[in-house]
Every structure is written in structure tokens, then in C-alpha cells.
Amino acid sequence: MLKKLEEIKSKAVDELNRIADLKELEAWRVRHLGKKSELTQILRGLSSLSVEERKAIGSFANDAKSVIELLYKQNMETLKEQFYQDIEATAKGGKKGAAAKLDVTLPGRPLPLGRLHPTTQMLRQICDIFVALGFQVIEGPEVEWDYYNFEALNIPADHPARDMWDTFWIDYENERGERNMLLRTHTSPMQIRVMQQTRPPVRVVVPGKVYRYEATDATHESMFYQIEGLAVDEHITFSDLKGTLYEFAKRLFGEERRVRFRCDYFPFVEPGVEMAIDCFVCGGKGCRLCSDTGWIEILGAGMVHPNVLRNVNYDPEKYTGFAFGLGLERIPMLKYGIDDIRLFYSNDLRFLKQF
Ligand code: PHE
């Protein structure tokens, strides 16, 4: 009888080595621990044995049973783990079974990496160009006073030019009952702040968010980015404005670019201009991108108005300067053929991942 039990145990262990999945393990359990198994039969028959035999065989049989039960549990765990690894490997189109077991020599799985927003990329690229030309990069507040956004820029309260900027006014009144706080409509108020804080020579570019109270559509957003530029010194002339902006256009859009300056009006510059580059798609022949004109307008600029210099106590007889302001999103829109400005800030990864 003892020999028989020894055989049962070694047979079970032997068979276990050939078991490859959970289904086979279950069949093995039924075979060796189930009601009809030899072991169970022996344990049942113990009562018909003599006390002596019962003691010897009983303890031996119970030992065999615990060993088989333990083996069952251990194998169950291993096979379960194997099962989940297989599922994962299959999902990834990899190998099944033993080959899918953990290989500690493999490199780690790469984590998904983020990237810079297209606006940030463009902003850095443009600032880099101006830094190389000797400009300093500074930033300023997005919530502004009427004084900086309009008044000091030669746009008094009753001036019709205020219509050029649809404004978000902040729900705030000062002690004189004036609503004089707003979300800046352009980066130009930083011209005033910079000049108040320093004496010439001044050479700065100011990137930042600006706000306009208008209905959004494919070409209008209520929040967008601008980059302001300001250079003030003795003997600065319109040639400096042209030379600087021409150099900028070539560095950003290519050496072969041509530029065009035309009259434009902004109350804080005199004379005021708008600058266009020749269309980089058709080379100036006329196409959809440039609306058949051959030119693409990219920024407003001009010589700093003497009144603006007076407002910051700069002597307009001694100092002159130029300023410019460009809308940032327009540039990647032109460059990559993006037809809706709202795509920039609607957080759609399908769009953002392309940059
Ligand atoms: N601030 C002007 C705008 O938002 C652009 C500009 C800046 C024009 C500086 C001239 C000089 O329209």
C-alpha cells in the first residue's frame, strides 16, 4: 500500500512537468485529487483497516495529498501569470508562451513624450532671431490699465481709433467712477512700461497673449499671441526699421524673400506701415494663399510717435525709435496651411501631434 502511494505521488509530479496550461492543470487536479482518484479511494478505505495500518498508511496518504495540493496551488499561480503575459504579448502582436516571459535585458518601454505647442515653437523661433539681432526678451501683464493700453499710446478716450481694438473691460471702477482696467488688446502697452523703466538705448521684443472682444471664426480668436518690438536710441531712422524687419523676414521665411512696406495707420507711430512678404507658395505670381495678390501681410510697424516719447519723458528732439507688432498664429497658419485659428487652442491632440 505504501509503495502504491509512493507511485501515485511520483506519477502526479511526473505528469505535472508536461502541463502547459490551466485547462490541463484542472484535468490533472481531477485525476489526482478528485473523488474518483486513487488517492481519494485509499483515504476512504482507511476505516476498514486495522488501527496499526490506519496510522501508518493514513499519515502517509495525507502527506501525499498535501504535497499534491501544494503543487496544484503553485502551478496555478505560475500558469495564471503566464496567461496574462500571453494576453499582453498577443495584444502587442508579440510572441506567445515561454518567449513572452519577462526578459530583463530588454530596454524599458518608452513613455509617451510631450512636445512644445506650435505657438510656443514659433514664439521661440522668432525671439531667437531678434535676440541674435541684439534685442532683449521681456514679458508684461495681460490685465492692463486703460492708460498703458490706449492713453499713453496716443489714443485718448474719445479717439475713434479705439474702434480698432474691441476690448474686454474688467468689471472694476476706480474712485472717480472710471472703468479703466482691461485685458490688453495688444502688446504695445509694454512699449510704455519698458520706456518708463529704462533710458535709451532700448531694444526689446515682448511676446505674450492679447485679448479681443469678438466673435470667433476661422480667422478670429478672442485670445491670441503677439510679439511686440521696440528700438529707441539717438539717430534711429526708418532705414533701421526696414533693415531690421527685412533681416527678420529673411531669417524666418528664407533668404530669397522680398518685403513690401505700405502706409498704414496706428495712432502710436508716425509714419505707420504694414509689412508684407512675397508669397512663399507662388513666389509672387498669385495663388490662393495670398488671395492672388502675390503678397502676404505679416505685421504692423512704424516710427514711435513723438507724443508717445513725450509721455515717457523721452526728448523727441534727441531720441527716435521704431516699433512693430505681429500676430503670431498667422505665421504657422501660412507656413503649414492651417485654415482655422481655433485649432491652436481647442486641445485636439490629433492637431497638436503634427508639430
Ligand atoms: N499694436 C498694433 C496692433 O495690435 C500693432 C503695431 C505695433 C503697430 C507696433 C505698429 C507698431 O494692431
Side-chain angles (χ1 to χ4, degrees), residues 153 164-165 185-189 191 212 224 226-229 265-266 268-269 272-273 299-302 322-326:
L153 286 168
M164 291 168 74
W165 298 276
T185 60
H186 49 181
T187 41
S188 303
Q191 291 186 25
R212 301 272 170 98
F224 57 96
Q226 282 191 340
I227 295 187
E228 190 83 8
Y265 172 69
F266 302 96
F268 35 93
V269 287
V273 292
L299 57 86
F322 67 84
F324 58 89
L326 66 95

Side-chain angles (χ1 to χ4, degrees), residues 47-173:
S47 53
S48 60
L49 298 175
S50 70
V51 185
E52 237 88 294
E53 277 180 320
R54 203 186 302 163
K55 256 193 182 164
I57 296 171
S59 80
F60 203 88
N62 275 318
D63 275 355
K65 193 180 174 189
S66 348
V67 169
I68 296 174
E69 273 174 353
L70 186 71
L71 284 173
Y72 171 72
K73 268 194 201 139
Q74 283 173 349
N75 276 268
M76 178 73 149
E77 288 308 312
T78 326
L79 287 172
K80 256 194 199 158
E81 203 166 296
Q82 174 87 61
F83 177 73
Y84 288 120
Q85 274 181 15
D86 281 355
I87 290 184
E88 207 182 323
T90 317
K92 292 208 184 97
K95 288 181 201 140
K96 268 182 138 187
K101 282 205 182 120
L102 184 65
D103 178 354
V104 293
T105 66
L106 281 175
R109 288 179 200 151
L111 290 170
L113 265 189
R115 67 192 77 202
L116 292 177
H117 192 279
T119 302
T120 310
Q121 289 183 30
M122 187 45 62
L123 200 125
R124 291 196 181 176
Q125 211 178 325
I126 294 173
C127 286
D128 283 351
I129 293 174
F130 283 106
V131 165
L133 295 174
F135 286 73
Q136 196 185 337
V137 181
I138 53 158
E139 288 177 301
E142 288 167 30
V143 179
E144 260 299 2
W145 299 110
D146 180 312
Y147 178 77
Y148 290 100
N149 197 85
F150 294 125
E151 199 80 30
L153 286 168
N154 204 29
I155 319 170
D158 51 1
H159 200 288
R162 286 212 174 188
D163 289 351
M164 291 168 74
W165 298 276
D166 295 302
T167 310
F168 281 114
W169 295 94
I170 304 281
D171 201 2
Y172 160 87
E173 271 185 17

Side-chain angles (χ1 to χ4, degrees), residues 280-317:
F280 46 77
V281 169
C282 63
K285 284 201 279 299
C287 67
R288 206 176 75 95
L289 184 69
C290 57
S291 323
D292 285 323
T293 62
W295 294 98
I296 296 168
E297 288 154 23
I298 60 165
L299 57 86
M303 299 306 289
V304 180
H305 197 290
N307 286 350
V308 174
L309 294 174
R310 273 184 214 108
N311 287 339
V312 294
N313 293 318
Y314 280 15
D315 179 0
E317 298 299 325

Side-chain angles (χ1 to χ4, degrees), residues 9-21 24-25 28 31-32 71 74-75 79 101:
K9 208 164 87 181
S10 63
K11 196 174 162 215
V13 173
D14 198 40
E15 277 181 29
L16 199 60
N17 288 332
R18 287 188 296 274
I19 279 173
D21 62 31
E24 283 175 30
L25 184 68
W28 177 88
R31 240 182 357 262
H32 298 289
L71 284 173
Q74 283 173 349
N75 276 268
L79 287 172
K101 282 205 182 120

